[in-house]
């Protein structure tokens, strides 16, 4: 049986980011497993936003965590690109959430004030401002904005990437630094041993290790149940639609509409509680298209070419779970939405914490146990 230092189960955005973070820290022999089932496309089927705006209004620790992550994104991306030669297609020109009507405009303004205070409590900025309709329109001269749009909240300090390139680059950087990525191999169980090590059983082999990281998305609950741990997550479907390529006119994303580097518009962000069903539905596509046309009526002239659904890993409060198991502190669990936006913190905060090199004061707010009350 092969013995290594750390085994990471799940090579999606979370597992790959932490794998890269551990490899950067010379954490020893690290194996990353991903079973590569086509239905598990969450890390490949998302919107690619690197976003903090509006997150954590009811959860100060999450708001601060998101802000920290976004501040770290430009350097994180530059290092990853330099190390791997990948172009992440990062556009860092800002992001907006438009408002329909005056009531929503006022609600957006109130959200900014709330989150400014929350971030200021820990000495962090929250550089978001309201734009009136004319100011918002001036920022997107190539698109006509819909009549009902009253303005938008806007920040210069966030952006979007190609999530496929991000995933590929993190796996590549991990391997360049000596990590081993085993795709197509499914972990079937984690067995704690009396001497404090763990035996990992897979579809092909058995391995022994000192630390385990379970970052298997919806696959994590199944691995944790035999260890007596209930993971507090639930499935939430989101659907995305993509258009044919157009002249590039948007320089930053609006929450539900972004234009990729190659010119396609992506429209989306439906939220549906539909268990583990990742199919697309006409109803959700109709709703999404209606919302997009309300914002940019000219999109009515563009053909949709593709659509897909994927199933979010959601927690009851929307914030991530980063937990060391009480009984087995060398098993770390992570389960989260927004793994694109939060990727840099896997390097700066999560990998050092796993290695026992200090704990960011926000991490204890994200335990799995916070829901067991
Ligand atoms: C429509 C939509 C839009 C989104 N937009 C954004 C966005 O703009 N920005 C953002 O930050 N986030 C966004 N997200 C969320 C983001 O996609 C997720 O947070 C992210 O993909 C979660 O990554 P993960 O690695 O934790 O989980 P997953 O992507 O589910 O990865 C888990 C991996 O574990 C593997 N696995 C499972 N069980 C096993 C096992 N037993 N053995 C081996 N491997 C196993 C699976 O094959 C899978 O590859 C969006 C999500 C949706 C649905």
């Amino acid at each position: 049986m092969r013995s290594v230092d750390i085994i990471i189960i799940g090579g999606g955005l979370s597992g790959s980011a932490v794998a890269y973070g551990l490899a950067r820290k010379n954490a020893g022999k690290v194996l990353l497993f991903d079973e590569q089932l086509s239905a598990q496309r969450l890390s490949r089927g998302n919107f690619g936003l690197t976003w903090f705006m509006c997150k954590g209004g009811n959860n100060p620790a999450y708001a601060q965590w998101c802000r920290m992550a976004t501040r770290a994104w430009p350097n994180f991306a530059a290092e990853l690109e330099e190390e791997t030669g990948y172009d992440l297609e990062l556009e860092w020109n800002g992001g907006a959430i438009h408002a329909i009507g005056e009531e929503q405009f006022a609600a957006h303004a109130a959200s900014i004030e709330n989150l400014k205070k929350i971030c200021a409590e820990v000495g962090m900025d929250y550089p978001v401002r309201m734009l009136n309709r004319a100011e918002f329109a001036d920022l997107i001269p190539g698109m006509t904005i819909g009549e009902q749009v009253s303005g938008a909240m806007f920040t210069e300090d966030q952006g979007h990437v190609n999530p496929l390139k991000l995933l590929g680059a993190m796996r590549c950087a991990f391997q360049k630094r000596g990590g081993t990525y085993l795709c197509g191999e499914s972990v079937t169980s984690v067995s704690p041993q009396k001497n404090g090590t763990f035996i990992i059983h897979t579809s092909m082999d058995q391995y022994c290790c000192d630390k385990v990281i379970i970052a298997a998305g919806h696959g994590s609950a199944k691995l944790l149940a035999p260890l007596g741990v209930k993971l507090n997550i639930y499935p939430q479907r989101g659907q995305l639609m993509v258009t044919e390529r157009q002249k590039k006119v948007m320089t930053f994303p609006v929450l539900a509409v972004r234009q990729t580097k190659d010119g396609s518009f992506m429209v989306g962000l439906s939220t549906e509680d539909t268990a583990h069903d990742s199919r697309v539905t006409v109803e959700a596509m109709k709703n999404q298209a209606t919302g997009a046309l309300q914002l940019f009526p000219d999109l009515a002239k563009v053909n949709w070419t593709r659509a897909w659904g994927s199933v979010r890993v959601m927690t009851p409060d929307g914030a991530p779970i980063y937990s060391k198991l009480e009984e087995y502190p060398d098993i770390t669990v992570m389960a989260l939405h927004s793994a694109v936006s939060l990727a840099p913190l896997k390097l700066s905060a999560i990998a050092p914490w796993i290695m026992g090199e200090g704990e960011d004061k926000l991490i204890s707010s994200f335990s799995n146990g916070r829901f067991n009350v």
Side-chain angles (χ1 to χ4, degrees):
M1 182 167 41
R2 189 166 162 199
S3 282
V4 298
D5 296 294
I6 305 179
I7 285 184
I8 302 167
I9 309 171
L13 288 164
S14 299
S16 301
V18 84
Y20 173 38
L22 290 168
R24 271 172 96 248
K25 296 197 69 58
N26 300 317
K29 282 189 196 155
V30 184
L31 299 189
L32 171 65
F33 287 101
D34 196 86
E35 65 187 5
Q36 300 261 299
L37 297 183
S38 53
Q40 293 170 337
R41 55 170 164 262
L42 181 58
S43 285
R44 291 169 282 125
N46 65 69
F47 210 58
L49 300 180
T50 56
W51 203 266
F52 71 96
M53 196 161 66
C54 236
K55 290 189 177 179
N58 296 321
N59 184 338
Y62 183 46
Q64 292 155 6
W65 190 249
C66 291
R67 181 68 193 119
M68 251 165 79
T70 319
R71 278 155 57 128
W73 242 100
N75 284 342
F76 164 75
E79 183 183 321
L80 192 53
E81 288 185 339
E82 162 124 31
E83 196 151 328
T84 60
Y86 274 67
D87 172 8
L88 302 184
E89 299 177 12
L90 176 68
E91 285 187 342
W92 200 259
N93 303 318
I97 303 180
H98 66 290
I100 299 292
E102 292 316 311
E103 204 177 311
Q104 198 172 43
F105 189 92
H108 281 5
S111 143
I112 294 178
E113 287 319 305
N114 175 36
L115 281 158
K116 265 198 172 129
K117 280 190 205 130
I118 287 174
C119 284
E121 274 165 25
V122 288
M124 249 187 253
D125 63 343
Y126 185 76
V128 182
R129 63 183 193 279
M130 289 306 293
L131 303 176
N132 64 30
R133 181 183 156 84
E135 290 166 332
F136 179 48
D138 281 351
L139 286 184
I140 319 174
M143 300 287 280
T144 304
I145 62 168
E147 279 173 12
Q148 292 162 285
V149 176
S150 49
M153 62 165 82
F154 177 76
T155 178
E156 264 105 14
D157 205 19
Q158 60 187 23
H160 60 153
V161 285
N162 180 331
L164 301 177
K165 300 273 184 78
L166 172 65
L167 183 61
M170 292 191 300
R171 287 173 178 171
C172 170
F174 165 64
Q175 290 172 92
K176 274 189 143 188
R177 286 183 179 255
T180 304
Y181 174 46
L182 294 162
C183 59
E185 194 163 343
S186 178
V187 173
T188 50
S189 69
V190 176
S191 307
Q193 303 298 296
K194 286 204 175 100
N195 65 359
T197 62
F198 302 93
I199 304 290
I200 304 297
H201 301 263
T202 77
S203 47
M204 297 180 191
D205 216 332
Q206 283 184 34
Y207 304 81
C208 178
C209 64
D210 297 329
K211 284 182 193 293
V212 183
I213 295 152
I214 302 183
H218 284 294
S220 297
K222 210 163 65 185
L223 293 167
L224 285 163
L227 301 171
V229 176
K230 178 186 177 297
L231 186 62
N232 291 294
I233 56 172
Y234 68 93
Q236 183 194 69
R237 182 170 62 195
Q239 299 184 37
L240 294 177
M241 301 161 71
V242 181
T243 72
E244 59 191 342
R245 290 175 191 180
Q246 298 290 297
K247 185 175 165 223
K248 180 96 166 109
V249 286
M250 287 182 78
T251 55
F252 62 85
V254 183
L255 184 61
V257 181
R258 78 179 187 106
Q259 195 178 17
T260 60
K261 197 175 175 182
D262 66 14
S264 303
F265 288 95
M266 286 180 81
V267 170
L269 303 189
S270 61
T271 55
E272 307 154 89
D273 294 338
T274 53
H276 292 278
D277 177 355
S278 61
R279 285 174 296 185
V280 291
T281 60
V282 172
E283 197 192 349
M285 285 196 276
K286 244 166 96 180
N287 286 341
Q288 293 182 161
T290 304
L293 295 181
Q294 204 175 29
L295 171 61
F296 295 131
D298 287 347
L299 288 179
K301 298 175 202 147
V302 183
N303 289 315
W304 309 109
T305 55
R306 285 181 295 139
W308 64 80
S310 46
V311 181
R312 293 182 183 91
V313 174
M314 285 306 294
T315 60
D317 63 5
I321 290 172
Y322 306 112
S323 248
K324 292 184 180 175
L325 301 192
E326 245 170 66
E327 199 176 343
Y328 309 108
D330 283 323
I331 300 181
T332 304
V333 183
M334 49 190 75
L336 58 146
H337 179 55
S338 292
V340 177
S341 304
L342 299 176
L345 299 183
K346 298 286 185 319
L347 277 62
S348 58
I350 300 296
W353 170 62
I354 289 170
M355 298 298 294
E357 296 173 3
E359 176 171 332
D360 186 286
K361 59 184 180 310
L362 291 176
I363 290 180
S364 60
S365 312
F366 302 128
S367 72
N368 183 44
R370 74 187 186 270
F371 303 111
N372 301 336
V373 286

